[in-house]
Structures are given as structure tokens and as C-alpha cells.
Amino acid sequence: IELVRHDLNKLSNEELAQITNIAQLEAAEAVLQGVVDTHNQKVAQVVIDAINTLPSVETAAIEDEEAMLAVVAKYNQLTKEQQPFVSNYETLTAVRDQINALILAASKLAAQPVIDLITALPEKANVTVEHEAQIAEADAQYQKLSARAKKEVTNYTKLSSVKTALTTALKNEAKPVTSAITALPKLANLTLSDKENVAAARAKYEA
């Protein structure tokens, strides 16, 4: 039927006028469309039923996300011709939007204490080794967040920059110790005269 229609569409108006049984083709197309529509409705009904199992917008909760996503996946598997037959698609989008809004609100709520911890950190230029514990705590709390909540930590760049500054400060703090140890003679060359230098290096290390 589609091949016949394709060939007809190539004809000129004069040629079409010579076709005397076009009504037969149109009747066949109508019957075929009915068969296709019936099939599409049957396939879409599975999704319609799945949507009906979801909670209402008023009762939807974050815990319903997995079920909602499963239904969305079912809908997306339909063809473009089948999707319009899902008569309650607006219900699905409303529930989806509500659950996403709840997740966003929860993520923002979880992120706020971390934002506050980061805000309390010194600026990058003022970071010293004395800030190590404070920076470590802020980073630890950030790492505990879910992937979604992490996206709501609006000042994460500050945490990242102070961590880098702390690494530099710790290296600078260690340089005198490293230098003192490096300056010691090789083990085979150690003598009693090196006792004070070894003790001094140990003291710097433990300071």
C-alpha cells in the first residue's frame, strides 16, 4: 500500500486523473491505519497502566524516583507514533517534576552546612598549616554529600583553592626539615660529632 501511494505521489495531475480506482487505495489505507492505531494503542496501554501505578503529585516522595524513572524509560521506548496514545502523559510529567523538585530541595538543604563551612575558611592567600584541620573537616563533609548535593555547593571552588594553598603551605613547612635531614652525612660517615645535627633534625621533624 505504501509503495502504491509512493508511486501515485510521483504522478502529475493529468496522470492522476487517469487513475479510476483511487477509492480502493484510500479504503485500504484507512483500514491499514486502523490496524496500526489499534496496535499503537495496545502498546501505549502498557505505559498508561504503569503511569497509573505512580503516586499522585500530592503524595509523591523522593523514594518514588526509581519507580518514576522506570515509567519514563518505558515511555521513551515508544515510537513517536505511539507516544501520542499515552493519554495520561501529563500525569507522568507532573509527578516527575514534583519528585525532581523534592530532590533539588533536599540537595540544597544538605549542601547548606557545607557551604557554611567553606565560607568560614580563610581566603587562599591567608591559608597556613594551622588551617589544616579546618580545611580537612570542610572537605570531609563535602565528600559525604550525594553527587546531586555536591552540585549545590556553590562555593566549592573556594574549597578547592584553599586545599591547593594548604598543600603548598605544608610543603613550605617541611622544607627546613627536609633540608636538615638532607644535610646529614651518609650513614657510613656518621660520627659522634654529628650527634647535635641529628638531634636538631629530629627536633625539627617532631616540632
Side-chain angles (χ1 to χ4, degrees):
I1 293 175
E2 290 179 349
L3 291 175
V4 173
R5 172 56 70 181
H6 181 265
D7 290 340
L8 279 174
N9 289 339
K10 296 184 196 177
L11 300 179
S12 64
N13 290 335
E14 291 75 15
E15 291 171 326
L16 286 173
Q18 303 302 314
I19 305 297
T20 58
N21 59 347
I22 187 66
Q24 182 178 347
L25 172 62
E26 292 174 344
E29 288 176 328
V31 171
L32 178 61
Q33 187 60 54
V35 172
V36 171
D37 287 349
T38 298
H39 171 72
N40 288 341
Q41 180 63 59
K42 182 178 180 180
V43 174
Q45 188 61 47
V46 175
V47 180
I48 292 172
D49 294 341
I51 293 173
N52 286 336
T53 66
L54 294 175
S56 65
V57 172
E58 293 75 18
T59 61
I62 293 176
E63 293 73 19
D64 299 311
E65 182 190 21
E66 184 177 351
M68 177 271 293
L69 290 176
V71 178
V72 170
K74 287 179 181 293
Y75 177 83
N76 289 336
Q77 288 172 357
L78 298 178
T79 66
K80 292 181 179 180
E81 291 74 25
Q82 293 166 346
Q83 287 178 352
F85 287 87
V86 180
S87 56
N88 56 352
Y89 176 66
E90 290 186 0
T91 299
L92 174 58
T93 58
V95 172
R96 179 198 62 197
D97 292 347
Q98 175 64 9
I99 292 175
N100 286 340
L102 292 172
I103 292 173
L104 178 59
S107 297
K108 286 181 178 293
L109 185 64
Q112 190 56 54
V114 179
I115 292 174
D116 295 340
L117 286 174
I118 296 173
T119 299
L121 295 175
E123 294 303 317
K124 180 179 180 181
N126 300 325
V127 171
T128 67
V129 293
E130 284 73 22
H131 296 113
E132 182 177 10
Q134 185 182 3
I135 294 172
E137 174 62 14
D139 187 50
Q141 295 305 316
Y142 173 80
Q143 298 302 333
K144 290 179 182 179
L145 296 176
S146 67
R148 283 170 171 157
K150 286 179 179 178
K151 293 179 180 179
E152 302 307 319
V153 178
T154 53
N155 56 353
Y156 174 73
T157 54
K158 179 180 180 181
L159 175 59
S160 180
S161 67
V162 298
K163 284 170 63 179
T164 300
L166 176 62
T167 299
T168 300
L170 290 171
K171 286 181 179 179
N172 291 337
E173 184 80 2
K175 282 181 180 179
V177 180
T178 302
S179 298
I181 295 174
T182 302
L184 295 174
K186 294 181 179 180
L187 295 179
N189 300 326
L190 279 173
T191 66
L192 285 175
S193 63
D194 299 309
K195 182 178 180 180
E196 289 186 5
N197 291 334
V198 172
R202 167 60 68 180
K204 288 182 179 181
Y205 175 78
E206 294 180 350

